[in-house]
């Protein structure tokens, strides 16, 4: 087998340290990108006459065969190879002989791993963006079906004011849109090519960094060779954006968990995405949103781990960077799975209980603000109206009745300006419809927003 280290080394590695040092068990994930990067590098070396085009062709063919072996499952790599970069190089030399030894000219594993990681992440960002969009569309479908469904709106988890369910769901579409903007923003900085920075200082081999960058579809090259090999900001930024996606999914999960409880009963879990209890036969558990809420913790943990990993590192490359991969890979996998699970949940795992929702919104004091607003229109200063309604709510609570149950006589005793129309004003549908300020929950405004989102997401 090809030796990894120079002849300076006389003794082999301690067997435990060999395993401790190796990353092959997880960085094999980068094999596609490693080969893609190596083919681009070999082509460039031929273009700049560092190797012959015949040599480059042999290298390219060998690398492509390795890719086939990998996908067929016959590519065998182990801790003796240390990492994916060595594994591919060793296999190449094994296949095509001495010409394979020319591939590593003018580069180092330091710029190679940074290149692989950027190529890998760029693809994943595109996939995640698609996944987020897909979920936005599912939310939009639900929102369109529920424009006229009214749900209690909360602040401090206390009933506040009724809102259109569509309005509530569109709030998540907005959050997810910011998530997509962040992903796109990070993508711009991921899409810069470090290849050719070599170990840290560049190389005297006459390479063409713009050529490899172009072949690999990078927007630009990293300008400073030291920064090129020591920059993991893009990993941190990505995991930070991923953390916000998870935070959003987790908040939605929390709502679904509450809503599906008997106490709320706003949502029914279908059999498709709920599980039972091994002991209590009556139970149906919201495992999917619970898992999503739970998994947010591991992504936040990765963010913390990455920041801690880089904070004390001197320039340039340090082996600590090897620790970036599992954090990044697990983040991508977790976010991808959670988006998928949440999409399935909204497609077939939940049903809004419209009856319980309408029962909920007529049996509370969430129309109290509307009484105050009613008095304001009749000329009562808001703060005074607010105090009056407070006293009225207190009276109702003592009598164990709702505002709608008050007789007109009682209303007029409370304030002479109140007339019969108060009863229609207090109906939940009128309460919602009357919130006509821009961005509010008035049905007409929400409907406009739904149209805007439908065309935005059609692009
Ligand atoms: N496996 C290494 C990593 O993931 C590749 C780069 C190793 N470079 C080095 N000089 N030891 O970071």
């Amino acid at each position: 087998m090809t030796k990894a280290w120079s002849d300076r080394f006389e003794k082999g590695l301690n067997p435990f340290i060999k395993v401790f040092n190796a990353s092959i068990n997880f960085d094999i994930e980068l094999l596609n990108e490693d080969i893609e990067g190596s083919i681009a590098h070999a082509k460039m070396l031929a273009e700049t006459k560092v190797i012959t085009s015949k040599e480059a062709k042999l290298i390219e063919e060998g690398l492509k065969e390795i890719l086939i072996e990998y996908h067929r499952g016959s590519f065998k790599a182990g801790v003796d190879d240390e990492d994916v970069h060595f594994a591919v190089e060793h296999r190449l030399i094994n296949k095509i002989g001495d010409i394979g030894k020319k591939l590593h000219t003018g580069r180092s594993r330091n710029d190679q791993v940074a290149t692989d990681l950027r190529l890998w992440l760029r693809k994943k960002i595109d996939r995640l963006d698609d996944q987020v969009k897909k979920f936005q569309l599912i939310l939009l479908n639900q929102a369109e079906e529920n424009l006229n469904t009214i749900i209690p709106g909360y602040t401090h988890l206390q009933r506040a004011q009724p809102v259109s369910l569509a309005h509530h769901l569109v709030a998540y579409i907005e959050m997810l849109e910011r998530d997509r903007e962040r992903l796109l923003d990070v993508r711009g900085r991921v899409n810069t090519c470090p290849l050719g920075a070599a170990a840290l200082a560049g190389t005297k081999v006459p390479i063409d960094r713009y050529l490899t960058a172009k072949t690999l579809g990078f927007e630009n090259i990293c300008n400073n060779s030291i920064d090129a090999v020591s920059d993991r900001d893009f990993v941190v930024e990505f995991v930070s954006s991923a953390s916000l996606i998870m935070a959003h999914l987790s908040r939605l999960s929390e709502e679904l968990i509450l809503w599906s409880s008997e106490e709320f009963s706003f949502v029914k879990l279908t059999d498709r995405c709920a599980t039972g209890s091994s002991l209590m036969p009556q139970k149906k558990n919201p495992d999917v949103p619970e898992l999503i809420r739970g998994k947010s913790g591991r992504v936040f943990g990765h963010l913390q781990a990455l920041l801690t990993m880089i904070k004390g590192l001197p320039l340039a490359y340090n082996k600590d960077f090897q620790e970036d991969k599992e954090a990044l890979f697990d983040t991508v996998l977790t976010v991808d799975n959670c988006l998928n699970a949440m999409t399935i949940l909204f497609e077939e795992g939940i049903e809004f209980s419209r009856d319980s929702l309408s029962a909920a919104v007529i049996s509370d004091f969430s129309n109290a603000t509307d009484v105050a607003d009613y008095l304001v229109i009749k000329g009562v200063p808001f703060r005074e109206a607010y105090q009056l309604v407070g006293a009225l709510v207190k009276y109702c609570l003592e009598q164990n009745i709702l505002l709608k149950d008050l007789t007109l006589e009682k209303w007029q005793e409370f304030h002479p300006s109140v007339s019969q129309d108060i009863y229609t004003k207090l109906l939940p549908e009128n309460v919602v419809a009357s919130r006509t300020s821009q961005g509010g929950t008035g049905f007409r405004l929400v409907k406009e927003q739904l149209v805007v989102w439908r065309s935005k997401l059609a692009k």
Side-chain angles (χ1 to χ4, degrees), residues 23 27 82-83 85 109-110 113 317 319 321-322 325:
S23 53
D27 67 15
E82 188 180 327
D83 60 21
H85 323 293
R109 279 185 303 156
N110 300 350
V113 69
Y317 177 86
K319 187 76 167 207
F321 285 145
Q322 187 161 288
K325 282 162 212 68

Side-chain angles (χ1 to χ4, degrees), residues 281-459:
Q282 85 284 9
K283 289 202 73 185
K284 215 175 197 190
N285 295 329
D287 292 38
V288 174
E290 287 177 294
L291 278 171
I292 295 171
R293 188 179 58 183
K295 281 175 193 290
S296 61
R298 61 200 281 167
V299 175
F300 304 164
H302 292 321
L303 178 61
Q304 191 61 41
L306 286 163
L307 285 167
T308 312
M309 184 267 282
I310 61 171
K311 90 174 183 68
L313 297 184
L315 301 180
Y317 177 86
N318 299 271
K319 187 76 167 207
D320 312 47
F321 285 145
Q322 187 161 288
E323 288 292 307
D324 61 6
K325 282 162 212 68
E326 287 158 294
L328 179 63
F329 298 165
D330 185 65
T331 296
V332 168
L333 185 66
T334 304
V335 177
D336 194 321
N337 285 341
C338 290
L339 282 165
N340 208 10
M342 198 55 122
T343 303
I344 295 171
L345 193 63
F346 269 82
E347 270 170 341
E348 50 175 313
I350 57 165
E351 278 161 11
F352 283 99
S353 314
R354 297 212 172 91
D355 293 344
S356 314
L357 285 167
S358 32
V361 291
I362 53 161
S363 59
D364 62 19
F365 288 94
S366 61
N367 49 8
T369 320
D370 295 76
V371 180
D373 292 344
Y374 180 92
L375 294 175
V376 167
I377 289 167
K378 305 274 176 173
V380 183
F382 178 77
R383 194 48 71 201
E384 206 175 298
Y386 166 88
Q387 294 297 357
L388 279 169
V389 181
L392 192 63
V393 169
K394 185 165 176 263
Y395 170 81
C396 288
L397 286 170
E398 280 159 9
Q399 302 297 311
N400 200 19
I401 55 170
L402 295 164
L403 290 167
K404 67 178 169 60
D405 303 325
L406 290 165
T407 61
L408 189 58
E409 222 178 356
K410 195 77 211 167
W411 275 112
Q412 285 169 346
E413 205 176 289
F414 154 71
H415 201 279
S417 70
V418 181
S419 54
Q420 185 68 32
D421 64 345
I422 188 74
Y423 294 104
T424 31
K425 292 272 192 284
L426 290 182
L427 292 172
E429 53 272 31
N430 292 331
V431 170
V432 174
S434 69
R435 300 284 187 272
T436 50
S437 61
Q438 200 58 43
T441 192
F443 298 112
R444 190 180 48 77
L445 291 158
V446 177
K447 197 170 176 189
E448 274 172 26
Q449 286 299 304
L450 293 176
V451 173
V452 169
W453 278 113
R454 182 53 73 189
S455 81
K456 215 171 175 176
L457 294 175
K459 281 174 198 137

Side-chain angles (χ1 to χ4, degrees), residues 185-198:
D185 186 52
V186 176
R187 192 189 192 282
R189 281 180 293 279
V190 169
N191 203 16
T192 304
C193 188
L195 194 62

